[in-house]
Amino acid sequence: RIDGGAWTADAGLFTDYAGASWANATWTLPGFAGLGEGSHTVDFYCTDDFGDLSATVSWTFIKDTVAPPVATGFDAAPGNGKVHLTWTNPGSDFDHVVVVRKAWDGTSPFGYPDYAGTPAYPANPADGSVVYSGTGTAFDDSLTDRSIYFYHAFTYDCADNFSGGTPPGDPIL
């Protein structure tokens, strides 16, 4: 049962169970999709082949499909062979931040100084190179290639939901 509701039976919920060994770790909680955000408790028990009942076991978890708040004050300041990045992490629903760098359109046959193509900030955490992942609020990105770089900070919560926030105001030359 979920959250003290009615008991439901699902003989196929725990399959591949033999003795003290269970080899099916990919089961799905019936009704999970219909649960709202927040804390939920699942109570369950087992019946063996002779009809004997086990003790009731409870498991409490938090369903989280909402993205965390964004990092604020994201700034990228150029330096000699580096870009100094700073930001403020959100105060709640926060696990870590990932900063992604993207150089001027890499599909262009032209690099410095003849930039062509369309410049763009990273649209998501996989759109560029991850230069930082952690809980800090500053990072120096060392660069050796001359180019124009675009940065974006993405915040993550413990459920791996992420928010994009706002990139810094201008690309770093």
Side-chain angles (χ1 to χ4, degrees):
R1 67 182 176 185
I2 300 173
D3 296 333
W7 287 99
T8 59
D10 187 345
L13 181 62
F14 292 104
T15 58
D16 303 325
Y17 184 80
S21 175
W22 182 42
N24 183 1
T26 60
W27 65 278
T28 300
L29 177 66
F32 181 80
L35 295 176
E37 293 289 313
S39 180
H40 299 278
T41 300
V42 176
D43 300 312
F44 60 94
Y45 64 89
C46 297
T47 306
D48 67 16
D49 292 339
F50 302 104
D52 299 321
L53 299 178
S54 71
T56 300
V57 176
S58 295
W59 171 54
T60 300
F61 66 95
I62 296 173
K63 181 176 181 182
D64 181 4
T65 60
V66 175
V70 300
T72 57
F74 187 48
D75 186 49
N80 184 13
K82 67 179 179 181
V83 175
H84 182 66
L85 304 163
T86 58
W87 60 89
T88 301
N89 293 328
S92 64
D93 196 22
F94 172 75
D95 183 68
H96 68 283
V97 65
V98 171
V99 177
V100 179
R101 174 186 67 216
K102 189 174 178 181
W104 190 282
D105 184 11
T107 61
S108 169
F110 308 105
Y112 170 82
D114 301 316
Y115 297 104
T118 304
Y121 287 96
N124 60 61
D127 185 25
S129 300
V130 173
V131 297
Y132 177 81
S133 180
T135 58
T137 58
F139 177 74
D140 286 338
D141 184 23
S142 299
L143 300 164
T144 56
D145 295 335
R146 188 167 184 172
S147 189
I148 296 176
Y149 296 97
F150 299 85
Y151 291 87
H152 206 138
F154 299 91
T155 56
Y156 281 79
D157 64 15
C158 290
D160 244 7
N161 301 310
F162 70 89
S163 290
T166 305
D170 295 309
I172 302 303
L173 305 172

